[in-house]
Amino acid sequence: MNNQNRSDIAAFPELFAGMEQFIAEQAAGFKRTSVILAIIALPGGMLLAWLLNRAA
């Protein structure tokens, strides 16, 4: 098996050409998912707290 150096990545820049765009798209997806989760979780948590308070 070959031992690879850190400089080996520089030998193949075409393999990493779209990496920045990929990371940006993934970050945008995480932000969108976080917002949707917050929109669902906040009212759901408030409803659950209200139901538990009402039952007690």
Side-chain angles (χ1 to χ4, degrees):
M1 190 158 213
N2 292 345
N3 289 337
Q4 294 181 345
N5 296 331
R6 297 180 124 206
S7 61
D8 289 346
I9 291 174
F12 301 101
E14 63 275 2
L15 295 177
F16 303 96
M19 189 65 70
E20 292 176 4
Q21 180 182 358
F22 172 76
I23 292 171
E25 289 173 358
Q26 292 298 314
F30 290 145
K31 288 177 187 176
R32 184 172 41 253
T33 302
S34 298
V35 168
I36 292 171
L37 183 61
I39 289 172
I40 293 171
L42 185 63
M46 292 174 66
L47 178 62
L48 181 63
W50 178 75
L51 288 173
L52 290 174
N53 189 28
R54 188 171 170 213

